[in-house]
Amino acid sequence: MSSEVLLVSAPGKVILHGEHAVVHGKVALAVALNLRTFLRLQPHSNGKVGLSLPNIGVRRAWDVASLQLLDTSFLGHGDGAVLTPEHVEKLKEVAGFPEDCVDPERLAVLAFLYLYLSICRGQRALPSLDITVWSELPTGAGLGSSAAYSVCLAAALLTACEEIPNPLKDGEAASRWTEQNLELINKWAFQGERVIHGNPSGVDNAVSTWGGALRYQQGKISSLKRPPALKILLINTKVPRSTKALVANVRSRLLKFPEIVAPLLTSIDAISLECERVLGEMAAAPTPEHYLVLEELIDMNQHHLNALGVGHASLDQLCQVTTAHGLHSKLTGAGGGGCGITLLRPDLPRPEVEAAKRALRDCGFDCWETSIGAPGVSVHTAASLDASVQHALDSL
């Protein structure tokens, strides 16, 4: 067991193109969002394992000795087929939760316990450690916050237990793991996601592990080669929505008007493929023309999504406000409220961007200026982290 303090971060995700169409076998492009989740792992010898999640007000601690006595044979070895609902019920017993608990705070604790017990049980004794996780990502907004959490936990626990080496070399501010080690991190993070979501697609944890941009179609995930980092505004309308209901509405519209809706889905697929092609060209040398094409694709996709019935008055308002400032926006994720993204061309005058942000906040929306195509899970030195992040991780 390593005795060093570990500082790990992982990005969130947004769907650039292909939401809803992906449910019907079409391509979706998912990109890493540079709003990150940060984890600090502090080994110690007080016989306790502690978990602090300041964003959601969780603080829990367990005696290592009592965890050591548990029969954890049901946990398997991180193999995809192992985790069953019965296992999750057993974890709830360990955590002292009622059987019917499904609130996000408790599921986050269960995912931690699952990964801690599974990854660390190969050690001679379960290690004493404190883990604090703090995120820039809003939860429950379709931005992959639970996957970023699971990826950070998997990377930190695997590294602390020396299942994978710490890639950080002297003099480096941050570093990433090798492809082979990322595979292992992703495999465990997917198990954490299964504790939280039951039956996730695996896209969110893959984006958070590898970063950049991924293409997803019918269960197959592949990385785009060196996608450019694109500056965006991420806007949260804060209008709650049910993904399940929105997906069901698109399905019923498809059944009711197959001749109309099937071509819309085919057209969205073509938008995703064209975007993938343009991003590929931009890897070599981005030009102003590339940005104009990306903006057109964003506009067309937003209209298609409205035609599918997943728009919302708040998203229309978001698009109107950004259009008035010469910017182009679309919903991202399920729609019906939730979040939108606005592309920021590199040549935009700074005052225009600031004016757009002010106007969006005046609508009551949350707004972040950030980027997509961000690096995946990384390990950092303390000195390389922003003061605000250090403060959030240390304030406990």
Side-chain angles (χ1 to χ4, degrees):
M1 174 78 193
S2 160
S3 60
E4 62 193 347
V5 174
L6 283 173
L7 295 163
V8 174
S9 79
K13 77 98 191 13
V14 292
I15 303 290
L16 189 52
H17 291 292
E19 47 272 273
H20 288 287
V22 71
V23 176
H24 302 277
K26 309 300 187 192
V27 167
L29 297 180
V31 289
L33 175 69
N34 209 20
L35 294 177
R36 301 182 78 85
T37 294
F38 295 88
L39 177 151
R40 188 187 62 183
L41 183 153
Q42 169 97 51
H44 50 65
S45 51
N46 67 358
K48 295 219 180 312
V49 56
L51 176 68
S52 296
L53 310 176
N55 301 81
I56 54 174
V58 168
R59 289 198 74 170
R60 293 288 308 254
W62 297 266
D63 279 322
V64 171
S66 57
L67 294 178
Q68 195 77 52
L69 297 173
L70 295 171
D71 172 15
T72 54
S73 57
F74 73 90
L75 290 172
H77 288 281
D79 189 314
V82 174
L83 192 69
T84 67
E86 292 76 47
H87 296 158
V88 176
E89 292 311 315
K90 275 212 162 125
L91 284 171
K92 285 180 184 172
E93 279 174 40
V94 173
F97 290 156
E99 277 179 35
D100 56 356
C101 83
V102 288
D103 53 76
E105 293 80 7
R106 285 175 166 168
L107 292 173
V109 172
L110 291 183
F112 165 74
L113 276 175
Y114 173 78
L115 290 171
Y116 171 77
L117 292 170
S118 301
I119 292 170
C120 300
R121 71 190 194 135
Q123 305 289 300
R124 277 206 314 279
L126 287 173
S128 292
L129 47 87
D130 272 323
I131 283 183
T132 302
V133 186
W134 176 81
S135 188
E136 299 172 328
L137 290 161
T139 53
L143 300 173
S145 60
S146 67
Y149 169 72
S150 294
V151 168
C152 281
L153 283 175
L157 290 167
L158 287 165
T159 305
C161 291
E162 298 176 330
E163 298 281 328
I164 58 177
N166 184 341
L168 199 60
K169 306 275 183 290
D170 280 351
E172 288 182 331
S175 186
R176 311 234 15 245
W177 285 268
T178 62
E179 189 62 29
Q180 191 183 0
N181 293 333
L182 290 173
E183 293 276 359
L184 188 61
I185 291 169
N186 186 54
K187 189 164 134 180
W188 279 111
F190 181 58
Q191 295 296 344
E193 276 279 82
R194 289 178 73 183
V195 173
I196 296 170
H197 290 299
N199 189 23
S201 68
V203 172
D204 288 14
N205 48 280
V207 172
S208 194
T209 301
W210 276 280
L214 299 181
R215 168 203 173 111
Y216 177 77
Q217 187 175 23
Q218 294 181 325
K220 287 205 278 297
I221 300 174
S222 56
S223 278
L224 273 62
K225 299 254 181 307
R226 296 202 324 282
L230 302 172
K231 287 198 159 53
I232 62 156
L233 297 179
L234 173 76
I235 302 111
N236 187 358
T237 66
K238 299 191 279 196
V239 173
R241 74 270 177 270
S242 159
T243 301
K244 203 176 263 174
L246 288 155
V247 168
N249 290 349
V250 172
R251 190 176 296 285
S252 65
R253 193 170 274 200
L254 176 61
L255 292 171
K256 190 175 177 187
F257 304 112
E259 264 71 39
I260 300 170
V261 177
L264 283 174
L265 297 172
T266 303
S267 182
I268 290 174
D269 193 47
I271 289 172
S272 298
L273 295 174
E274 178 63 9
C275 182
E276 185 179 6
R277 189 190 67 74
V278 172
L279 292 176
E281 281 186 7
M282 290 176 81
T287 66
E289 289 71 38
H290 286 136
Y291 281 93
L292 296 176
V293 174
L294 291 179
E295 289 181 334
E296 270 192 273
L297 295 175
I298 283 172
D299 290 343
M300 288 191 286
N301 199 352
Q302 178 60 16
H303 290 303
H304 280 61
L305 289 161
N306 277 328
L308 289 179
V310 298
H312 187 268
S314 62
L315 293 163
D316 294 341
Q317 187 183 17
L318 184 166
C319 290
Q320 283 159 7
V321 167
T322 55
T323 300
H325 291 87
L327 304 172
H328 300 256
S329 309
K330 66 177 280 291
L331 68 85
T332 179
C339 291
I341 50 173
T342 304
L343 185 64
L344 298 177
R345 295 188 309 276
D347 60 348
L348 279 170
R350 192 69 229 160
E352 203 59 77
V353 177
E354 290 303 328
K357 283 159 67 174
R358 272 196 306 279
L360 289 162
R361 288 182 178 131
D362 289 346
C363 298
F365 302 154
D366 287 339
C367 183
W368 296 264
E369 187 174 341
T370 181
S371 63
I372 52 178
V377 64
S378 307
V379 59
H380 304 266
T381 60
S384 69
L385 294 181
D386 271 5
S388 59
V389 175
Q390 290 208 48
H391 179 70
L393 292 173
D394 290 342
S395 59
L396 297 150

